[in-house]
């Protein structure tokens, strides 16, 4: 059975009030739609540990610094609702923009430090958009737990920090990256890849895995990073925003691996920006 779709904050709160009165726990999975198996894995993780599950679908304009990127972002609400049927979610929240940013809305949330590097360095304002909409979704849904994928690892750390700093009583749960059979990290943006580009896209993950293996032998990024970048360009990628080793908690830049370190990459392939990260 396809879960009901709610579009208003009043309707959402009326439903969650019933669940709260019954003593049920609520899990929320914030998304921008165009759902794939990665998103569905988050919904299933929520289903395992929460009495009720809400999946939100909102293409947040504040996360886009390029108007064309916002306009071209896939919007597949009907298919998304059908896909979620197998996960057993209880409600799909698809708010109109005025339910999130009503007339006169004047607040922006900024998380310092964690937003200054990686995707934050090349997408100005993006994480302010994330940090502004996510607390609203937390508070609107009255959720006890929120589920995010590790594919967007920087975002996950930012959300954890803002929930802690703002004393929002919610547990932020990170879930493993889901990959295609050829290793490509699942992403809504993969839908934008041409058939030809899709063939070469998995090379990014392949290069990162080889780089991880080198780092685990004690090699330094200054020694092996250039060759890895050259392989990515040789595979047809047009540009690399970053290929870096960083601490898994504060995202500080590293040259050699240490406990908790992660390898991060963002690269452009035929106009599509792909990101990935793996533990080292």
């Amino acid at each position: 059975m396809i879960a009901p779709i709610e579009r208003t904050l009043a309707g959402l709160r009326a439903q969650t009030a019933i669940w709260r009165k019954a003593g049920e726990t609520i899990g929320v999975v914030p998304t921008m739609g165009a759902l794939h198996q990665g998103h569905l894995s988050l919904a299933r993780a929520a289903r395992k540990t929460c009495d009720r599950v809400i999946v939100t679908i909102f293409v947040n304009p504040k996360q886009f610094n390029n108007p064309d990127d916002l306009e071209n972002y896939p919007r597949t609400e009907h298919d998304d609702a059908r896909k979620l049927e197998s996960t057993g979610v209880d409600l799909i929240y698809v708010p109109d923009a005025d339910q999130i940013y009503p007339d006169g809305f004047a607040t922006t949330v900024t998380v310092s430090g964690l937003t200054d590097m990686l995707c934050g360095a090349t997408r100005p304002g993006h994480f302010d958009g994330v940090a502004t909409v996510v607390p609203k979704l937390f508070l609107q849904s009255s959720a006890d737990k929120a589920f995010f994928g590790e594919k967007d690892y920087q975002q996950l750390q930012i959300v954890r920090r803002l929930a802690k700093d703002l004393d929002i009583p919610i547990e932020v749960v990170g879930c493993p990256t889901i990959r295609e059979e050829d290793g490509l990290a699942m992403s809504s943006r993969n839908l934008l890849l041409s058939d030809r580009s899709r063939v070469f896209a998995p090379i990014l993950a392949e290069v990162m895995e080889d780089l991880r293996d080198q780092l685990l032998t004690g090699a330094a990024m200054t020694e092996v990073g250039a060759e890895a970048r050259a392989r990515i360009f040789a595979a047809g990628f047009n540009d690399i925003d970053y290929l870096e080793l960083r601490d898994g908690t504060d995202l500080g830049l590293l040259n050699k691996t240490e406990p908790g370190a992660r390898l991060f990459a963002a690269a452009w392939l035929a106009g599509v920006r792909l990101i990935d990260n793996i533990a080292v």
Side-chain angles (χ1 to χ4, degrees):
M1 179 178 177
I2 294 179
I5 293 176
E6 178 56 60
R7 300 187 187 277
T8 69
L9 175 56
L12 174 65
R13 284 183 167 163
Q15 181 60 74
T16 57
I18 295 171
W19 296 339
R20 281 285 175 212
K21 188 174 181 179
E24 295 176 315
T25 57
I26 300 173
V28 65
V29 181
T31 82
M32 292 207 300
L35 304 185
H36 50 69
Q37 287 299 323
H39 296 111
L40 302 187
S41 73
L42 301 180
R44 293 188 181 102
R47 177 81 282 164
K48 288 181 180 179
T49 61
C50 300
D51 298 315
R52 299 290 183 174
V53 177
I54 301 167
V55 171
T56 72
I57 298 176
F58 179 65
V59 181
N60 180 22
K62 291 184 180 294
Q63 289 178 225
F64 293 84
N65 55 317
N66 184 334
D68 291 337
D69 202 12
L70 172 60
E71 184 173 342
N72 293 331
Y73 195 87
R75 291 166 172 82
T76 55
E77 180 184 314
H78 177 75
D79 287 343
D80 292 344
R82 180 179 51 79
K83 291 175 182 177
L84 287 169
E85 185 176 6
S86 66
T87 68
V89 304
D90 297 281
L91 187 69
I92 305 171
Y93 181 44
V94 190
D96 293 327
D98 64 350
Q99 300 297 294
I100 302 295
Y101 304 121
D103 287 344
F105 186 87
T107 299
T108 299
V109 179
T110 298
V111 180
S112 299
L114 291 173
T115 61
D116 298 337
M117 75 290 283
L118 299 173
C119 287
T122 55
R123 302 183 68 190
H126 169 72
F127 285 122
D128 286 353
V130 173
T132 300
V133 76
V134 165
K136 289 185 67 75
L137 294 173
F138 286 175
L139 298 171
Q140 289 186 354
S141 65
S142 304
D144 300 281
K145 295 183 179 183
F147 296 79
F148 291 83
E150 290 185 346
K151 197 214 73 156
D152 296 296
Y153 193 87
Q154 184 178 15
Q155 172 179 273
L156 172 62
Q157 295 304 95
I158 290 168
V159 170
R160 283 173 168 160
R161 170 53 61 184
L162 72 84
K164 180 179 180 181
D165 288 354
L166 299 179
D167 298 320
I168 301 176
I170 193 168
E171 179 185 351
V172 179
V173 181
C175 299
T177 300
I178 304 300
R179 298 182 179 276
E180 304 285 359
E181 290 185 4
D182 57 12
L184 178 65
M186 289 189 179
S187 170
S188 302
R189 294 180 183 274
N190 294 350
L191 296 174
L192 303 175
L193 292 168
S194 68
D195 291 343
R196 184 175 186 277
S197 295
R198 178 62 185 82
V199 172
F200 297 103
I203 293 175
L204 179 63
E206 179 183 317
V207 171
M208 292 177 70
E209 290 171 359
D210 290 345
L211 184 55
R212 174 192 60 194
D213 292 343
Q214 291 176 294
L215 292 168
L216 287 173
T217 66
M221 281 294 292
T222 49
E223 299 169 341
V224 295
E227 180 184 354
R229 292 172 67 91
R231 286 181 59 194
I232 293 171
F233 280 122
F237 283 79
N238 313 106
D239 197 9
I240 299 173
D241 285 347
Y242 56 79
L243 178 63
E244 297 173 350
L245 181 69
R246 290 186 173 267
D247 181 87
T249 301
D250 64 15
L251 304 183
L253 189 63
L254 301 174
N255 188 36
K256 288 193 172 185
T257 190
E258 58 185 46
R262 297 187 80 89
L263 189 62
F264 295 84
W268 292 84
L269 179 61
V272 181
R273 187 177 187 270
L274 301 179
I275 68 170
D276 203 346
N277 72 91
I278 57 175
V280 183

